[in-house]
Amino acid sequence: MSKERNDKIYEGMFVDATEGILVSNHKGQIILCNPSAQRMFGYTHDEFLALNIDQLMPMRFQSHHVHHREGYFANPMPRSMGKGRDLYANHKNGEEFPVEISLSHVKNGEETLVVAFIIDIAERKKKDNQLKKANEMLKKASFQLSKLNQELEQKVQSRTLELAEMIKKLTESKKEVDLALEKEKELNDLKSRFISTASHEFRTPLATILSSVSLAGKYADKQELEKIFKHLDRVKDSVSNLTDILNDFLSLDKLEEGIIQPHPEPTHVYDLIVDLLDTMKGITKSGQVFNYQDETNNEKVFIDVRIFRNLLINLVSNAVKYSEENKTITLKTEFKGQKLFILVQDEGIGIPYEDQSNIFERFYRANNIGNIQGTGLGLNIVKKYIEILNGDITFESEPGVGTRFLIEIPV
Ligand code: ADP
């Protein structure tokens, strides 16, 4: 290619380049500028030639620039300017604008000239800033979002806890309602069965009254006053016993709530049982006998007489009721340690094995009772009385052979 042609290409490149190109000498005087540089800085070609390159810098960088420029001349090589920091240039109208500058040098004979390629990066900076702002906004938004999310999670968590608490409370109140309903049902049951129960529990004392009254009648004929008084006393006892039982029934729910308290008084167990059996002879079937073996030596013990009598009346009347004629009903009393043991044994129909675990339940009756009357309350009351006395009751029974109830009461 001819030199002329080359020069034309170089000139074209210089004139049409989109970068501003400024060529300066070692003093910083501008000796060449292309049209892009003129557009960028607002100076005409001639104005540029009257300027020093340092003057294109903002005031605050000018002294530094002089220093840098001298350094560059000492060791000129192609490099970008202001690496790692933002560069600014001064427009003719005094406004600053951001630039990117790369430097190279050319030799013109002995003289070294510096060529500065300048790009106006104001637009790019603006976009960068917008991008930065958008990023910041995005960051802020995502921070707020995650905060919101956290708050939401916390709300959900506390709501879940509240709900769980509510469900717990509801379940509890349902339980309470169920319990109350059950209690009410039991009470209704109790009331509706009260009449038949009363008749069962009243039978023993009523029978005693009946037999004593008829016996007293017989003795009246024979003028045997002593025996008449004895039977009148029994009638009195039975009536008071009836009152006691009635009171117990009326307070069956009190019994359940533990309101009934024992009132122990010094008592001769032997005398008490002999008297009781004497009274209960009135309800025995033909040929039935009581066999009482006492090993307490008629010692006095502190015991609640009313509760003790009721216990025994229940057990002995069951022994009588569930035994046939001519059978023996055995009672034994003894002290062992600080406890009084009472055994009530019969030779009756016994309790079927499948019923044995239930007979202390209220209204429960075994399946072998036939048409023997009863309500299934006696043993339940017995059990509760035993609990009040801190005692224990156990039994053994063989169907067709007989039943033994053993009570132990701390005295
Ligand atoms: P009731 O005698 O009124 O039925 P209890 O509560 O006294 O009620 O007794 C519950 C059930 O236990 C009786 O129905 C009966 O089946 C059985 N039972 C109680 N005592 C005896 C006994 N001595 N012999 C046989 N069965 C008995």
Side-chain angles (χ1 to χ4, degrees), residues 85-113:
R85 62 196 160 88
D86 289 340
L87 284 183
Y88 290 89
N90 247 358
H91 191 272
K92 185 183 170 187
N93 65 12
E95 277 178 19
E96 283 182 16
F97 61 98
V99 287
E100 231 174 55
I101 302 173
S102 49
L103 300 172
S104 67
H105 65 286
V106 285
K107 283 267 184 200
N108 186 20
E110 277 305 295
E111 195 183 20
T112 302
L113 299 175

PDB file of all heavy atoms in Angstrom, residues 85-113:
ATOM      1  N   ARG A  85     -10.101   3.872  39.847  1.00  0.00           N
ATOM      2  CA  ARG A  85     -10.890   4.999  40.387  1.00  0.00           C
ATOM      3  C   ARG A  85     -11.646   5.677  39.242  1.00  0.00           C
ATOM      4  O   ARG A  85     -11.330   5.459  38.075  1.00  0.00           O
ATOM      5  CB  ARG A  85     -10.002   5.986  41.127  1.00  0.00           C
ATOM      6  CG  ARG A  85      -8.959   6.647  40.269  1.00  0.00           C
ATOM      7  CD  ARG A  85      -7.879   7.308  41.139  1.00  0.00           C
ATOM      8  NE  ARG A  85      -6.684   7.503  40.353  1.00  0.00           N
ATOM      9  CZ  ARG A  85      -6.441   8.577  39.620  1.00  0.00           C
ATOM     10  NH1 ARG A  85      -7.307   9.564  39.560  1.00  0.00           N
ATOM     11  NH2 ARG A  85      -5.325   8.697  38.926  1.00  0.00           N
ATOM     12  N   ASP A  86     -12.631   6.476  39.634  1.00  0.00           N
ATOM     13  CA  ASP A  86     -13.444   7.146  38.611  1.00  0.00           C
ATOM     14  C   ASP A  86     -12.701   8.370  38.083  1.00  0.00           C
ATOM     15  O   ASP A  86     -12.127   9.133  38.841  1.00  0.00           O
ATOM     16  CB  ASP A  86     -14.783   7.598  39.223  1.00  0.00           C
ATOM     17  CG  ASP A  86     -15.670   6.409  39.519  1.00  0.00           C
ATOM     18  OD1 ASP A  86     -15.424   5.325  38.918  1.00  0.00           O
ATOM     19  OD2 ASP A  86     -16.587   6.540  40.360  1.00  0.00           O
ATOM     20  N   LEU A  87     -12.720   8.467  36.752  1.00  0.00           N
ATOM     21  CA  LEU A  87     -12.073   9.636  36.124  1.00  0.00           C
ATOM     22  C   LEU A  87     -13.141  10.609  35.648  1.00  0.00           C
ATOM     23  O   LEU A  87     -14.201  10.192  35.179  1.00  0.00           O
ATOM     24  CB  LEU A  87     -11.265   9.178  34.915  1.00  0.00           C
ATOM     25  CG  LEU A  87      -9.933   8.495  35.203  1.00  0.00           C
ATOM     26  CD1 LEU A  87      -9.245   8.194  33.873  1.00  0.00           C
ATOM     27  CD2 LEU A  87      -9.031   9.384  36.052  1.00  0.00           C
ATOM     28  N   TYR A  88     -12.829  11.894  35.788  1.00  0.00           N
ATOM     29  CA  TYR A  88     -13.755  12.923  35.296  1.00  0.00           C
ATOM     30  C   TYR A  88     -12.990  13.922  34.431  1.00  0.00           C
ATOM     31  O   TYR A  88     -11.794  14.137  34.625  1.00  0.00           O
ATOM     32  CB  TYR A  88     -14.405  13.657  36.477  1.00  0.00           C
ATOM     33  CG  TYR A  88     -15.368  12.778  37.209  1.00  0.00           C
ATOM     34  CD1 TYR A  88     -14.946  11.983  38.263  1.00  0.00           C
ATOM     35  CD2 TYR A  88     -16.709  12.701  36.804  1.00  0.00           C
ATOM     36  CE1 TYR A  88     -15.818  11.145  38.918  1.00  0.00           C
ATOM     37  CE2 TYR A  88     -17.593  11.864  37.448  1.00  0.00           C
ATOM     38  CZ  TYR A  88     -17.144  11.084  38.500  1.00  0.00           C
ATOM     39  OH  TYR A  88     -18.009  10.261  39.127  1.00  0.00           O
ATOM     40  N   ALA A  89     -13.718  14.491  33.493  1.00  0.00           N
ATOM     41  CA  ALA A  89     -13.105  15.524  32.643  1.00  0.00           C
ATOM     42  C   ALA A  89     -13.982  16.783  32.741  1.00  0.00           C
ATOM     43  O   ALA A  89     -15.135  16.707  33.152  1.00  0.00           O
ATOM     44  CB  ALA A  89     -13.020  15.038  31.217  1.00  0.00           C
ATOM     45  N   ASN A  90     -13.368  17.927  32.354  1.00  0.00           N
ATOM     46  CA  ASN A  90     -14.090  19.194  32.433  1.00  0.00           C
ATOM     47  C   ASN A  90     -14.563  19.627  31.058  1.00  0.00           C
ATOM     48  O   ASN A  90     -13.780  19.714  30.117  1.00  0.00           O
ATOM     49  CB  ASN A  90     -13.127  20.277  32.932  1.00  0.00           C
ATOM     50  CG  ASN A  90     -13.547  20.743  34.309  1.00  0.00           C
ATOM     51  OD1 ASN A  90     -14.566  20.272  34.843  1.00  0.00           O
ATOM     52  ND2 ASN A  90     -12.777  21.651  34.868  1.00  0.00           N
ATOM     53  N   HIS A  91     -15.851  19.870  30.928  1.00  0.00           N
ATOM     54  CA  HIS A  91     -16.386  20.405  29.660  1.00  0.00           C
ATOM     55  C   HIS A  91     -16.108  21.901  29.619  1.00  0.00           C
ATOM     56  O   HIS A  91     -15.860  22.508  30.677  1.00  0.00           O
ATOM     57  CB  HIS A  91     -17.905  20.127  29.629  1.00  0.00           C
ATOM     58  CG  HIS A  91     -18.535  20.367  28.310  1.00  0.00           C
ATOM     59  ND1 HIS A  91     -19.021  21.600  27.925  1.00  0.00           N
ATOM     60  CD2 HIS A  91     -18.761  19.528  27.251  1.00  0.00           C
ATOM     61  CE1 HIS A  91     -19.522  21.514  26.709  1.00  0.00           C
ATOM     62  NE2 HIS A  91     -19.370  20.258  26.268  1.00  0.00           N
ATOM     63  N   LYS A  92     -16.150  22.435  28.442  1.00  0.00           N
ATOM     64  CA  LYS A  92     -15.907  23.882  28.308  1.00  0.00           C
ATOM     65  C   LYS A  92     -16.879  24.691  29.171  1.00  0.00           C
ATOM     66  O   LYS A  92     -16.496  25.690  29.781  1.00  0.00           O
ATOM     67  CB  LYS A  92     -16.067  24.284  26.831  1.00  0.00           C
ATOM     68  CG  LYS A  92     -15.723  25.729  26.557  1.00  0.00           C
ATOM     69  CD  LYS A  92     -15.990  26.051  25.089  1.00  0.00           C
ATOM     70  CE  LYS A  92     -15.897  27.563  24.845  1.00  0.00           C
ATOM     71  NZ  LYS A  92     -16.305  27.889  23.476  1.00  0.00           N
ATOM     72  N   ASN A  93     -18.133  24.190  29.272  1.00  0.00           N
ATOM     73  CA  ASN A  93     -19.129  24.944  30.051  1.00  0.00           C
ATOM     74  C   ASN A  93     -18.959  24.762  31.550  1.00  0.00           C
ATOM     75  O   ASN A  93     -19.785  25.192  32.345  1.00  0.00           O
ATOM     76  CB  ASN A  93     -20.554  24.555  29.615  1.00  0.00           C
ATOM     77  CG  ASN A  93     -20.858  23.091  29.940  1.00  0.00           C
ATOM     78  OD1 ASN A  93     -20.102  22.444  30.679  1.00  0.00           O
ATOM     79  ND2 ASN A  93     -21.921  22.565  29.369  1.00  0.00           N
ATOM     80  N   GLY A  94     -17.874  24.099  31.971  1.00  0.00           N
ATOM     81  CA  GLY A  94     -17.586  23.963  33.403  1.00  0.00           C
ATOM     82  C   GLY A  94     -18.145  22.695  34.032  1.00  0.00           C
ATOM     83  O   GLY A  94     -17.816  22.362  35.159  1.00  0.00           O
ATOM     84  N   GLU A  95     -19.011  21.990  33.297  1.00  0.00           N
ATOM     85  CA  GLU A  95     -19.587  20.760  33.876  1.00  0.00           C
ATOM     86  C   GLU A  95     -18.619  19.593  33.768  1.00  0.00           C
ATOM     87  O   GLU A  95     -17.876  19.489  32.797  1.00  0.00           O
ATOM     88  CB  GLU A  95     -20.888  20.416  33.131  1.00  0.00           C
ATOM     89  CG  GLU A  95     -22.057  21.207  33.679  1.00  0.00           C
ATOM     90  CD  GLU A  95     -23.346  20.900  32.922  1.00  0.00           C
ATOM     91  OE1 GLU A  95     -23.390  19.839  32.260  1.00  0.00           O
ATOM     92  OE2 GLU A  95     -24.256  21.735  32.994  1.00  0.00           O
ATOM     93  N   GLU A  96     -18.688  18.762  34.794  1.00  0.00           N
ATOM     94  CA  GLU A  96     -17.825  17.568  34.776  1.00  0.00           C
ATOM     95  C   GLU A  96     -18.560  16.431  34.111  1.00  0.00           C
ATOM     96  O   GLU A  96     -19.773  16.317  34.220  1.00  0.00           O
ATOM     97  CB  GLU A  96     -17.502  17.142  36.212  1.00  0.00           C
ATOM     98  CG  GLU A  96     -16.466  18.011  36.860  1.00  0.00           C
ATOM     99  CD  GLU A  96     -16.120  17.528  38.270  1.00  0.00           C
ATOM    100  OE1 GLU A  96     -16.452  16.361  38.612  1.00  0.00           O
ATOM    101  OE2 GLU A  96     -15.526  18.310  39.020  1.00  0.00           O
ATOM    102  N   PHE A  97     -17.832  15.553  33.467  1.00  0.00           N
ATOM    103  CA  PHE A  97     -18.462  14.333  32.963  1.00  0.00           C
ATOM    104  C   PHE A  97     -17.481  13.165  33.107  1.00  0.00           C
ATOM    105  O   PHE A  97     -16.277  13.347  33.023  1.00  0.00           O
ATOM    106  CB  PHE A  97     -18.951  14.500  31.512  1.00  0.00           C
ATOM    107  CG  PHE A  97     -17.871  14.818  30.521  1.00  0.00           C
ATOM    108  CD1 PHE A  97     -17.311  13.809  29.730  1.00  0.00           C
ATOM    109  CD2 PHE A  97     -17.411  16.129  30.354  1.00  0.00           C
ATOM    110  CE1 PHE A  97     -16.324  14.100  28.816  1.00  0.00           C
ATOM    111  CE2 PHE A  97     -16.413  16.417  29.429  1.00  0.00           C
ATOM    112  CZ  PHE A  97     -15.865  15.407  28.649  1.00  0.00           C
ATOM    113  N   PRO A  98     -17.997  11.990  33.383  1.00  0.00           N
ATOM    114  CA  PRO A  98     -17.141  10.832  33.641  1.00  0.00           C
ATOM    115  C   PRO A  98     -16.549  10.305  32.344  1.00  0.00           C
ATOM    116  O   PRO A  98     -17.232  10.293  31.309  1.00  0.00           O
ATOM    117  CB  PRO A  98     -18.084   9.806  34.259  1.00  0.00           C
ATOM    118  CG  PRO A  98     -19.427  10.181  33.767  1.00  0.00           C
ATOM    119  CD  PRO A  98     -19.439  11.642  33.492  1.00  0.00           C
ATOM    120  N   VAL A  99     -15.318   9.892  32.431  1.00  0.00           N
ATOM    121  CA  VAL A  99     -14.629   9.420  31.223  1.00  0.00           C
ATOM    122  C   VAL A  99     -13.799   8.183  31.510  1.00  0.00           C
ATOM    123  O   VAL A  99     -13.495   7.880  32.663  1.00  0.00           O
ATOM    124  CB  VAL A  99     -13.671  10.505  30.663  1.00  0.00           C
ATOM    125  CG1 VAL A  99     -14.430  11.636  30.018  1.00  0.00           C
ATOM    126  CG2 VAL A  99     -12.748  11.013  31.760  1.00  0.00           C
ATOM    127  N   GLU A 100     -13.451   7.513  30.401  1.00  0.00           N
ATOM    128  CA  GLU A 100     -12.492   6.412  30.476  1.00  0.00           C
ATOM    129  C   GLU A 100     -11.372   6.793  29.522  1.00  0.00           C
ATOM    130  O   GLU A 100     -11.645   7.205  28.393  1.00  0.00           O
ATOM    131  CB  GLU A 100     -13.174   5.133  29.996  1.00  0.00           C
ATOM    132  CG  GLU A 100     -13.019   3.976  30.967  1.00  0.00           C
ATOM    133  CD  GLU A 100     -13.848   2.799  30.485  1.00  0.00           C
ATOM    134  OE1 GLU A 100     -13.651   2.392  29.322  1.00  0.00           O
ATOM    135  OE2 GLU A 100     -14.702   2.345  31.256  1.00  0.00           O
ATOM    136  N   ILE A 101     -10.150   6.709  29.974  1.00  0.00           N
ATOM    137  CA  ILE A 101      -9.041   7.183  29.127  1.00  0.00           C
ATOM    138  C   ILE A 101      -7.993   6.111  28.999  1.00  0.00           C
ATOM    139  O   ILE A 101      -7.625   5.479  30.003  1.00  0.00           O
ATOM    140  CB  ILE A 101      -8.391   8.452  29.744  1.00  0.00           C
ATOM    141  CG1 ILE A 101      -9.452   9.559  29.911  1.00  0.00           C
ATOM    142  CG2 ILE A 101      -7.235   8.941  28.873  1.00  0.00           C
ATOM    143  CD1 ILE A 101      -8.953  10.776  30.667  1.00  0.00           C
ATOM    144  N   SER A 102      -7.534   5.844  27.783  1.00  0.00           N
ATOM    145  CA  SER A 102      -6.346   4.988  27.659  1.00  0.00           C
ATOM    146  C   SER A 102      -5.247   5.791  26.949  1.00  0.00           C
ATOM    147  O   SER A 102      -5.538   6.647  26.114  1.00  0.00           O
ATOM    148  CB  SER A 102      -6.676   3.686  26.948  1.00  0.00           C
ATOM    149  OG  SER A 102      -7.375   3.948  25.785  1.00  0.00           O
ATOM    150  N   LEU A 103      -4.047   5.508  27.406  1.00  0.00           N
ATOM    151  CA  LEU A 103      -2.923   6.310  26.932  1.00  0.00           C
ATOM    152  C   LEU A 103      -1.977   5.471  26.073  1.00  0.00           C
ATOM    153  O   LEU A 103      -1.809   4.281  26.327  1.00  0.00           O
ATOM    154  CB  LEU A 103      -2.131   6.847  28.132  1.00  0.00           C
ATOM    155  CG  LEU A 103      -2.902   7.732  29.117  1.00  0.00           C
ATOM    156  CD1 LEU A 103      -2.047   8.019  30.348  1.00  0.00           C
ATOM    157  CD2 LEU A 103      -3.335   9.031  28.457  1.00  0.00           C
ATOM    158  N   SER A 104      -1.421   6.119  25.066  1.00  0.00           N
ATOM    159  CA  SER A 104      -0.292   5.491  24.353  1.00  0.00           C
ATOM    160  C   SER A 104       0.628   6.636  23.881  1.00  0.00           C
ATOM    161  O   SER A 104       0.303   7.808  24.112  1.00  0.00           O
ATOM    162  CB  SER A 104      -0.797   4.631  23.200  1.00  0.00           C
ATOM    163  OG  SER A 104      -1.360   5.455  22.227  1.00  0.00           O
ATOM    164  N   HIS A 105       1.707   6.266  23.318  1.00  0.00           N
ATOM    165  CA  HIS A 105       2.616   7.343  22.909  1.00  0.00           C
ATOM    166  C   HIS A 105       3.136   7.076  21.493  1.00  0.00           C
ATOM    167  O   HIS A 105       3.135   5.926  21.038  1.00  0.00           O
ATOM    168  CB  HIS A 105       3.777   7.449  23.885  1.00  0.00           C
ATOM    169  CG  HIS A 105       4.649   6.235  23.872  1.00  0.00           C
ATOM    170  ND1 HIS A 105       4.251   5.037  24.446  1.00  0.00           N
ATOM    171  CD2 HIS A 105       5.875   6.038  23.335  1.00  0.00           C
ATOM    172  CE1 HIS A 105       5.218   4.158  24.264  1.00  0.00           C
ATOM    173  NE2 HIS A 105       6.201   4.721  23.587  1.00  0.00           N
ATOM    174  N   VAL A 106       3.519   8.146  20.857  1.00  0.00           N
ATOM    175  CA  VAL A 106       4.154   8.026  19.524  1.00  0.00           C
ATOM    176  C   VAL A 106       5.406   8.913  19.507  1.00  0.00           C
ATOM    177  O   VAL A 106       5.502   9.869  20.264  1.00  0.00           O
ATOM    178  CB  VAL A 106       3.201   8.472  18.379  1.00  0.00           C
ATOM    179  CG1 VAL A 106       2.137   7.445  18.113  1.00  0.00           C
ATOM    180  CG2 VAL A 106       2.583   9.825  18.681  1.00  0.00           C
ATOM    181  N   LYS A 107       6.317   8.492  18.680  1.00  0.00           N
ATOM    182  CA  LYS A 107       7.553   9.293  18.537  1.00  0.00           C
ATOM    183  C   LYS A 107       7.403  10.162  17.302  1.00  0.00           C
ATOM    184  O   LYS A 107       7.003   9.672  16.241  1.00  0.00           O
ATOM    185  CB  LYS A 107       8.756   8.358  18.353  1.00  0.00           C
ATOM    186  CG  LYS A 107       9.220   7.697  19.644  1.00  0.00           C
ATOM    187  CD  LYS A 107      10.312   8.548  20.266  1.00  0.00           C
ATOM    188  CE  LYS A 107      10.881   7.863  21.508  1.00  0.00           C
ATOM    189  NZ  LYS A 107      11.539   8.809  22.355  1.00  0.00           N
ATOM    190  N   ASN A 108       7.661  11.443  17.470  1.00  0.00           N
ATOM    191  CA  ASN A 108       7.686  12.321  16.306  1.00  0.00           C
ATOM    192  C   ASN A 108       9.108  12.903  16.235  1.00  0.00           C
ATOM    193  O   ASN A 108       9.388  13.915  16.850  1.00  0.00           O
ATOM    194  CB  ASN A 108       6.629  13.420  16.496  1.00  0.00           C
ATOM    195  CG  ASN A 108       6.483  14.295  15.267  1.00  0.00           C
ATOM    196  OD1 ASN A 108       6.886  13.872  14.172  1.00  0.00           O
ATOM    197  ND2 ASN A 108       5.954  15.495  15.434  1.00  0.00           N
ATOM    198  N   GLY A 109       9.971  12.171  15.502  1.00  0.00           N
ATOM    199  CA  GLY A 109      11.393  12.515  15.522  1.00  0.00           C
ATOM    200  C   GLY A 109      11.941  12.251  16.903  1.00  0.00           C
ATOM    201  O   GLY A 109      11.777  11.155  17.446  1.00  0.00           O
ATOM    202  N   GLU A 110      12.446  13.286  17.543  1.00  0.00           N
ATOM    203  CA  GLU A 110      13.029  13.153  18.891  1.00  0.00           C
ATOM    204  C   GLU A 110      11.947  13.288  19.967  1.00  0.00           C
ATOM    205  O   GLU A 110      12.101  12.865  21.084  1.00  0.00           O
ATOM    206  CB  GLU A 110      14.082  14.275  19.095  1.00  0.00           C
ATOM    207  CG  GLU A 110      15.442  13.944  18.518  1.00  0.00           C
ATOM    208  CD  GLU A 110      15.988  12.637  19.043  1.00  0.00           C
ATOM    209  OE1 GLU A 110      16.249  12.562  20.276  1.00  0.00           O
ATOM    210  OE2 GLU A 110      16.110  11.660  18.265  1.00  0.00           O
ATOM    211  N   GLU A 111      10.839  13.893  19.561  1.00  0.00           N
ATOM    212  CA  GLU A 111       9.804  14.245  20.538  1.00  0.00           C
ATOM    213  C   GLU A 111       8.842  13.074  20.794  1.00  0.00           C
ATOM    214  O   GLU A 111       8.427  12.395  19.860  1.00  0.00           O
ATOM    215  CB  GLU A 111       9.007  15.450  20.014  1.00  0.00           C
ATOM    216  CG  GLU A 111       8.174  16.098  21.056  1.00  0.00           C
ATOM    217  CD  GLU A 111       7.332  17.243  20.464  1.00  0.00           C
ATOM    218  OE1 GLU A 111       7.128  17.271  19.232  1.00  0.00           O
ATOM    219  OE2 GLU A 111       6.878  18.078  21.268  1.00  0.00           O
ATOM    220  N   THR A 112       8.542  12.890  22.070  1.00  0.00           N
ATOM    221  CA  THR A 112       7.530  11.887  22.415  1.00  0.00           C
ATOM    222  C   THR A 112       6.202  12.596  22.584  1.00  0.00           C
ATOM    223  O   THR A 112       6.115  13.599  23.299  1.00  0.00           O
ATOM    224  CB  THR A 112       7.892  11.184  23.734  1.00  0.00           C
ATOM    225  OG1 THR A 112       9.178  10.597  23.592  1.00  0.00           O
ATOM    226  CG2 THR A 112       6.869  10.112  24.098  1.00  0.00           C
ATOM    227  N   LEU A 113       5.230  12.062  21.902  1.00  0.00           N
ATOM    228  CA  LEU A 113       3.888  12.634  22.048  1.00  0.00           C
ATOM    229  C   LEU A 113       2.977  11.598  22.742  1.00  0.00           C
ATOM    230  O   LEU A 113       3.123  10.388  22.548  1.00  0.00           O
ATOM    231  CB  LEU A 113       3.304  12.975  20.674  1.00  0.00           C
ATOM    232  CG  LEU A 113       4.103  14.011  19.877  1.00  0.00           C
ATOM    233  CD1 LEU A 113       3.491  14.159  18.477  1.00  0.00           C
ATOM    234  CD2 LEU A 113       4.077  15.363  20.584  1.00  0.00           C
TER     235      LEU A 113
END
